Amino acid sequence: MKKYAIFLLAIVTWHSIYAQNEIKISELSIPTSPGFVLADKAPASIEKPTTPKAFGVSLLNLREGGAVEVTPYWLVNHPAYTFTDYFKKRKFPVLETFNISAATFKTDTTSSVSMGFRTQIVRLYSKAAREELEAKRLEIVGLLSVEDFTPEALEAIEKARKELSDLKSKITFNFEIAAAIIGSSKNNSFKNLQSDKSGVWANIRYRPKECPLDFTALARYSWTNNTNPKVGSDSAFFDYGLSLSFQKPKYDLALEFINRYDFSIKSNTNRLALVVNYMIYDNIVIVGSFGKNFDKVKNLLTVVGVKFGLSNDKAKIN
Amino acid sequence: MAVKKVTKTDIPVKVNLDTTVLLTVTIGNAQIGGNVVRWKSNPNILAKGEIKNLNLGLGVDIRGKILKVTTNVLDVNEVTNGIVIVHYFHNGNPSSFTYEDRVEKDGDILQLVTEYTFK
C-alpha cells in the first residue's frame, strides 16, 4: 500500500511539473470528497460549492488517505451545450455537476472507506455578471476568428481567457447538496465491512456584489450506525454553520463556525476554525486548519496537509 | 498555450440545384470558438465570428465549389478538455459534420480546417 501511495505521489508530482498552466487559486478547485467531510477528516468542514472535475484524484496526505472522483456527465461530449447555455440557461445544473467520489482514510484502529456524491441544485449569476461574461465571450470569439495566429494574438487570447475564468468563478448564488456513507472493518476484511456513519448536507454560497467576502452556509444531518448495540440507539447530529472566506490569487482564507447538536445526549458542541489554502504549484495546494474542533476534550484542531489534483483538467477552490 | 491543428479536406456535400444552402457552426462542451468562412478559390472572407444560418447560395450556384471553414476553439471549460464542433448545412446532404477531439491542457486551442466540396 505504501509503495502504491509513493508511486501515486510520483505520478502526481510528475504530472504537475509537466502540466504547467499559469493558474490562480481561484481557478484551482480540488473539492474535498464528501467522505472526508463527513469523517471530519477534511481541513474545512464547510466546503464551497465547486465545479467538479470530469475525473480527479485528491490526496489529503499520504498517511491520512485519498479520494477519487468522477463526474459522469463530462465523460462524454455535449455538442449542443454552448458556453452561452452555461451561464444563461443552466441554472439548475444537477446532472452536469453530479459527482461521485470514493475515499479511504485511516483512523487510530481501522482503515475506513467512504462513498459520496455532491451536486449543485442551483447556480446563478447576477445580471451584471452575465453581461460581463457575454462581453468577454464575444471578445474571445472575435480573437479566435482568424485563419492564422500571431504570437500577439495568442497572448491576447490567453489574457482574455484568464479574465473569463475569473468572471466564471464569480457565481452569485450556489446551492449544493451532498451525501456520504462511511464504512470500516475492524480486521480490515472486506467481508466484515460495516457502515459506521452516514450524512446528508447542503452548502449554500452567496457572493454579494462588490464584496470581497464569500459567504457559505451549511446544514448537515448525520448519524452513526452500529456503534454500540448494547445501548440500543445510535447517535444523530445536526450541524449548522457559516463560513466567511477571502480569496486572493495565491491563497484562500476562511473562517468557519459550526454548531453541532447531538440528538442522543441533547447537547451542543461547536467548531471554530481558520482554514488556509495556499497554492504552491499548479494543482498542489497546502491546506491547514487551526482552531477548536467539536470534541469536548482534546479539541485543539491542527490539520496540515497537501491537496493534489490529478487530472488534465484544471481544478478549483472557489 | 498550444494550438492543435487538424485539417480535413475533400468532404462531399450533396446539394439540390434549386434550394438555398445555409451554414451554422455550433461549439459544444461549453467551450468558445470563432470561425472564418470563405470559398477556397477566393481570398475574400464570406463571414467570420459566430456562424449562424450563413447563406452560401443556391445549389446551382455553389455546385463544384469548395468551401473552406476554419474553426478555432479555445478550451475554457475547466471540467473537460474535450472539444466538439458541429458544422450544419441546411439543405445539404449529409446535413451535419461533427468533429470531436481533445486538447492537452486548459487554455489550449484546437484549429479545425475543413474543406467541403459541394456536389
Side-chain angles (χ1 to χ4, degrees):
Chain A
M1 182 65 194
K2 202 171 181 179
K3 279 182 183 170
Y4 177 73
I6 291 168
F7 176 64
L8 191 56
L9 176 63
I11 292 173
V12 170
T13 308
W14 177 86
H15 177 274
S16 301
I17 289 168
Y18 286 91
Q20 292 188 25
N21 271 342
E22 260 188 58
I23 53 175
K24 299 178 300 182
I25 205 160
S26 65
E27 297 170 335
L28 184 76
S29 124
I30 305 167
T32 303
S33 157
F36 282 154
V37 175
L38 185 62
D40 290 333
K41 289 282 176 188
S45 196
I46 301 178
E47 284 286 313
K48 281 183 270 186
T50 52
T51 306
K53 310 290 297 166
F55 176 76
V57 173
S58 55
L59 303 173
L60 260 185
N61 63 49
L62 295 180
R63 199 169 55 83
E64 291 284 337
V68 59
E69 59 169 323
V70 64
T71 308
Y73 182 88
W74 288 107
L75 295 179
V76 296
N77 286 321
H78 297 275
Y81 185 0
T82 65
F83 183 78
T84 308
D85 291 343
Y86 165 82
F87 68 92
K88 282 189 178 168
K89 293 183 183 170
R90 301 290 178 111
K91 294 172 182 171
F92 309 103
V94 180
L95 276 181
E96 70 192 74
T97 58
F98 183 78
N99 177 264
I100 308 163
S101 62
T104 175
F105 50 87
K106 283 187 174 174
T107 63
D108 292 341
T109 53
T110 60
S111 289
S112 297
V113 292
S114 76
M115 289 290 294
F117 81 88
R118 60 198 308 156
T119 187
Q120 291 178 28
I121 306 296
V122 180
R123 178 181 63 203
L124 297 175
Y125 286 96
S126 66
K127 190 181 173 208
R130 289 198 306 271
E131 285 170 0
E132 282 183 289
L133 277 164
E134 176 63 3
K136 193 55 64 183
R137 184 189 75 82
L138 290 172
E139 180 189 332
I140 293 174
V141 168
L143 291 167
L144 290 169
S145 300
V146 292
E147 289 188 323
D148 293 299
F149 292 103
T150 60
E152 293 77 27
L154 288 175
E155 213 169 278
I157 290 168
E158 179 61 4
K159 182 172 174 282
R161 185 188 71 84
K162 284 179 179 171
E163 288 164 355
L164 182 91
S165 178
D166 233 17
L167 293 171
K168 273 181 83 180
S169 72
K170 290 177 181 167
I171 297 169
T172 311
F173 180 81
N174 245 186
F175 175 40
E176 179 188 75
I177 59 167
I181 184 167
I182 301 170
S184 67
S185 169
K186 279 182 182 164
N187 57 1
N188 287 333
S189 160
F190 187 79
K191 198 173 77 177
N192 295 328
L193 193 66
Q194 62 180 23
S195 161
D196 292 337
K197 192 177 182 183
S198 311
V200 292
W201 62 96
N203 294 316
I204 300 167
R205 179 188 180 189
Y206 176 60
R207 187 186 185 118
K209 194 182 173 190
E210 307 295 337
C211 176
L213 293 175
D214 247 297
F215 298 82
T216 307
L218 163 78
R220 177 168 54 218
Y221 181 73
S222 62
W223 60 98
T224 56
N225 308 312
N226 308 310
T227 45
N228 190 348
K230 288 178 186 171
V231 174
S233 65
D234 293 334
S235 298
F237 309 96
F238 179 63
D239 299 347
Y240 56 94
L242 188 69
S243 166
L244 303 181
S245 74
F246 177 74
Q247 206 166 79
K248 282 287 180 185
K250 279 277 180 187
Y251 64 87
D252 179 285
L253 294 175
L255 182 68
E256 62 178 33
F257 176 80
I258 303 164
N259 191 68
R260 172 169 288 176
Y261 180 72
D262 187 332
F263 287 94
S264 59
I265 58 173
K266 296 184 171 47
S267 165
N268 284 290
T269 56
N270 56 55
R271 166 184 162 121
L272 178 65
L274 177 69
V275 183
V276 182
N277 283 276
Y278 185 81
M279 192 181 71
I280 56 169
Y281 204 79
D282 301 349
N283 284 344
I284 303 179
V285 173
I286 296 279
V287 57
S289 59
F290 314 93
K292 173 190 169 297
N293 213 343
F294 291 112
D295 307 305
K296 294 214 166 166
V297 291
K298 291 184 179 176
N299 57 8
L300 182 66
L301 175 70
T302 53
V303 179
V304 178
V306 181
K307 290 202 279 190
F308 296 93
L310 175 61
S311 166
N312 265 337
D313 308 318
K314 210 169 359 183
K316 209 159 211 134
I317 273 179
N318 49 353
Chain B
M1 170 185 282
V3 181
K4 181 177 180 179
K5 295 184 178 181
V6 180
T7 303
K8 303 279 178 190
T9 57
D10 212 14
I11 306 168
V13 180
K14 287 182 185 168
V15 291
N16 293 324
L17 295 177
D18 56 350
T19 55
T20 302
V21 180
L22 308 173
L23 170 67
T24 296
V25 180
T26 306
I27 311 299
N29 281 359
Q31 312 281 21
I32 298 180
N35 307 273
V36 177
V37 183
R38 65 179 176 86
W39 297 111
K40 195 182 176 186
S41 56
N42 190 336
N44 294 333
I45 291 169
L46 273 180
K48 61 192 286 188
E50 292 180 286
I51 304 298
K52 195 169 183 185
N53 292 327
L54 174 66
N55 189 336
L56 299 174
L58 281 170
V60 68
D61 297 326
I62 66 173
R63 190 175 271 193
K65 285 185 170 180
I66 298 172
L67 186 75
K68 184 179 177 185
V69 183
T70 304
T71 302
N72 298 307
V73 181
L74 175 69
D75 177 13
V76 296
N77 188 340
E78 64 269 29
V79 189
T80 178
N81 290 348
I83 305 287
V84 53
I85 300 163
V86 182
H87 291 168
Y88 178 77
F89 290 99
H90 184 67
N91 293 327
N93 182 23
S95 60
S96 76
F97 296 86
T98 302
Y99 181 76
E100 300 187 40
D101 205 335
R102 291 183 72 78
V103 291
E104 197 182 328
K105 289 187 290 182
D106 290 315
D108 282 356
I109 294 172
L110 178 94
Q111 181 176 73
L112 174 67
V113 179
T114 44
E115 290 181 1
Y116 295 99
T117 306
F118 293 105
K119 295 187 173 176

